[in-house]
Amino acid sequence: EPEVTQTPSHQVTQMGQEVILRCVPISNHLYFYWYRQILGQKVEFLVSFYNNEISEKSEIFDDQFSVERPDGSNFTLKIRSTKLEDSAMYFCASSEETGGRGEKLFFGSGTQLSVL
Amino acid sequence: AQKITQTQPGMFVQEKEAVTLDCTYDTSDPSYGLFWYKQPSSGEMIFLIYQGSYDQQNATEGRYSLNFQKARKSANLVISASQLGDSAMYFCAMREGGGMETSYDKVIFGPGTSLSVIP
């Protein structure tokens, strides 16, 4: 079964540094998402992306965050200047091209980000 | 405002018994979708079952069924014949959309219920 791939699985960084989390969505999917989960708790929506632009973003997704689809396959989340509270598991997800309320999200296995 | 409520932070069930995990939601959209995901200790998010707001029948997928009560805005997950491998976090989620001011581009999750299956 096709899957969403995320790299790296773990990322350790110093506070104030920039990090880029990478995702390869399922190839025929056109809707992409980033979520984060702190300490195994609630799964929080960050941003959705369609047709090379942000569709929706949450209040968490401030100016420190950006997303990009640089080459037609990768989907990246950049955090410009990391803070301690950015430490979390970051999940990438995608859904099928038809969109619609019934389209389930396919999740990657996540990147555990630790900010020291 | 909390759109998805899961009132049971933790649940225990005896192996082979059935268990119901509660989920209530809040939306003014007539068109929405409801999902349940399982997250085992390994961390991946596994899709279990989907219910559309216009679906006439409750969704079923193997041992999983969804008790959808639209008027009460509840979408409880029922797991029959629990197995040890069912021990995990379970998240209820909703995708709103279809109106002029909303889109289908956001799925929001509830706080989750931790299920432990006892041998």
Side-chain angles (χ1 to χ4, degrees), chain A residues 34-35 43-48 56-58 60, chain B residues 105-106:
Chain A
W34 283 101
Y35 286 81
V43 179
E44 298 176 300
F45 169 77
L46 293 178
V47 66
S48 59
E56 289 195 56
K57 60 183 181 179
S58 71
I60 302 170
Chain B
D105 285 352
K106 180 166 68 175

Side-chain angles (χ1 to χ4, degrees), chain A residues 31 33 35 37 40-45 47-50 55-57 89 91 95 99-109, chain B residues 2 4 31-33 35 37 39 43-45 47 50 52-55 89 91 95-96 102-111:
Chain A
Y31 295 79
Y33 309 81
Y35 286 81
Q37 185 180 34
Q41 300 303 311
K42 189 172 181 178
V43 179
E44 298 176 300
F45 169 77
V47 66
S48 59
F49 191 86
Y50 170 70
S55 301
E56 289 195 56
K57 60 183 181 179
M89 178 72 87
F91 288 103
S95 65
R101 69 179 188 273
E103 296 297 339
K104 67 188 182 209
L105 300 183
F106 292 78
F107 281 85
S109 54
Chain B
Q2 184 74 276
I4 307 277
S31 175
Y32 52 90
F35 305 82
Y37 281 82
Q39 186 179 41
E44 70 266 33
M45 296 288 286
F47 167 77
Y50 163 77
S53 59
Y54 294 124
D55 293 344
M89 281 289 285
F91 292 97
R95 186 198 290 261
E96 297 175 290
T102 58
S103 71
Y104 291 126
D105 285 352
K106 180 166 68 175
V107 175
I108 54 172
F109 285 76

Side-chain angles (χ1 to χ4, degrees), chain A residues 59-91:
Chain A
E59 58 275 8
I60 302 170
F61 194 88
D62 60 21
D63 292 343
Q64 293 298 314
F65 292 88
S66 62
V67 290
E68 197 177 38
R69 190 157 160 80
D71 58 11
S73 62
N74 290 287
F75 179 51
T76 62
L77 174 69
K78 182 193 290 186
I79 309 175
R80 288 190 183 81
S81 178
T82 50
K83 308 184 192 74
L84 295 176
E85 54 264 37
D86 294 327
S87 295
M89 178 72 87
Y90 287 80
F91 288 103

Side-chain angles (χ1 to χ4, degrees), chain B residues 8 11-13 17-21 77-82 115 117:
Chain B
Q8 307 149 316
M11 289 276 287
F12 291 89
V13 64
E17 298 291 312
V19 63
T20 297
L21 307 184
L77 176 71
V78 181
I79 305 174
S80 63
S82 297
L115 178 67
V117 180

Side-chain angles (χ1 to χ4, degrees), chain B residues 29-95:
Chain B
D29 233 311
S31 175
Y32 52 90
L34 297 159
F35 305 82
W36 278 90
Y37 281 82
K38 172 185 177 181
Q39 186 179 41
S41 57
S42 51
E44 70 266 33
M45 296 288 286
I46 302 168
F47 167 77
L48 295 178
I49 197 167
Y50 163 77
Q51 180 84 45
S53 59
Y54 294 124
D55 293 344
Q56 294 297 314
Q57 295 196 331
N58 287 344
T60 61
E61 290 282 352
R63 293 187 300 112
Y64 304 107
S65 60
L66 206 151
N67 183 1
F68 180 47
Q69 298 188 42
K70 192 171 181 177
R72 294 186 177 183
K73 294 186 177 177
S74 76
N76 298 339
L77 176 71
V78 181
I79 305 174
S80 63
S82 297
Q83 301 170 356
L84 295 178
D86 293 335
S87 294
M89 281 289 285
Y90 288 81
F91 292 97
C92 179
M94 177 173 66
R95 186 198 290 261

